[in-house]
Every structure is written in structure tokens, then in C-alpha cells.
Amino acid sequence: MSRSLKADPRKATPEMVREANPPMGFEPILSNSPFGWENGPIFERTDDQGRERGFRIAERHINAGGACHGGMIMTFADILLATAVFEVAEPPFVTVRLTTDFIGPAFQGEWLSGRAAAKLAGDGMIAVEGTMKVDDRVIATASGLFKALRAR
């Protein structure tokens, strides 16, 4: 098959979207990161409260205890916080620090989503905070510091 006929590896296929069964309004994001792609698909919607990202917890996300693996929650936290950075800085930017507080478990089949907010902290640094939930149940909170690699 010629390269032009292959699916874009950064996009979720229709099968992946059906399997994830995102809530109304969520669309798959483009992933520019092979690591992010392997852990997705991640979805996003925008409403009057801003951007919200989420994913359906799949079997591949589960730890030995039967809950969503903390590493997956931290991966999602990094993707989620970066969403907010786009509101105040142009790419490229990098994660300098990421702190995640685990509040409760999330399980296979559940929809985990979150929102984050960013503010400039000076010298190209951006401070970000976010919360991840399943329905109204808080699963984790995260805070981070990102560094813009060029001036806006």
C-alpha cells in the first residue's frame, strides 16, 4: 500500500472511537507523540468552561490491583496539563515538574476526564493545575511547571 493511502498514525481510527465510546462532544485529538499515541486515544471537547480531555480506561491501562495504573494517570495528567499551556504559550514547551496526587481508583470501562488551568510564572515558565475525575468522583489532581522554549 502506498504511503498516501495509509491511515494517519496520529489519528484515532473509527474503530478506536467506537471502542472508546466517548461522551457527547468529545473528538479524538491528533497526537504528535508516539508515546502519547500508544496510550490513547485521548479525546477533547470545548464548552463554556474551556477545554476538557478524557479517555476510556481500557484493559491495557489496568494495574495488577485491577485499577487504572498510576503511570497511565500520570501520562494523562501530563497531556491534560499541556492542554492548558497552549492557552498561554506557543509550542514548543517541555514539562519541568509534574506532581500527581492520587485520590481514588478508576476502573476499566470508566471514562476519565479532566480540566486544567495555566498561568505565566515568569522567565518562560508556566504553572498549571488540573483535576481528573470519573463522573463527579475525583481520581487525581496534578500540578506542574512547564518551560516555553521560545518567546511568544
Side-chain angles (χ1 to χ4, degrees):
M1 179 183 277
S2 75
R3 179 134 173 86
S4 63
L5 297 178
K6 287 185 179 179
D8 186 337
R10 301 173 307 151
K11 292 183 181 178
T13 65
E15 180 179 288
M16 294 166 88
V17 173
R18 272 191 309 278
E19 185 178 303
N21 189 26
M24 185 69 76
F26 279 92
E27 297 291 332
I29 65 169
L30 285 178
S31 178
N32 293 320
S33 161
F35 180 79
W37 178 253
E38 289 297 322
N39 291 289
I42 305 294
F43 296 82
E44 179 178 270
R45 72 177 172 189
T46 303
D47 59 19
D48 58 351
Q49 296 176 31
R51 288 189 198 183
E52 180 180 12
R53 284 196 166 172
F55 73 100
R56 180 76 57 198
I57 301 170
E59 182 178 10
R60 69 182 177 278
H61 301 133
I62 301 302
N63 64 20
C68 188
H69 194 286
M72 180 58 200
I73 292 172
M74 291 179 73
T75 295
F76 179 66
D78 192 41
I79 293 168
L80 175 66
L81 296 184
T83 303
V85 176
F86 281 109
E87 299 296 323
V88 297
E90 297 289 331
F93 46 81
V94 295
T95 308
V96 175
R97 178 179 43 86
L98 175 66
T99 302
T100 306
D101 295 310
F102 300 98
I103 310 300
F107 301 99
Q108 185 173 341
E110 293 185 313
W111 180 259
L112 180 67
S113 66
R115 294 180 185 270
K119 60 183 175 186
L120 294 173
D123 199 28
M125 302 300 273
I126 301 105
V128 191
E129 293 184 351
T131 301
M132 293 157 278
K133 298 179 177 184
V134 168
D135 298 321
D136 291 328
R137 195 173 82 237
V138 176
I139 301 305
T141 60
S143 62
L145 195 60
F146 288 72
K147 173 75 173 174
L149 299 180
R150 69 178 107 138
R152 187 168 207 184

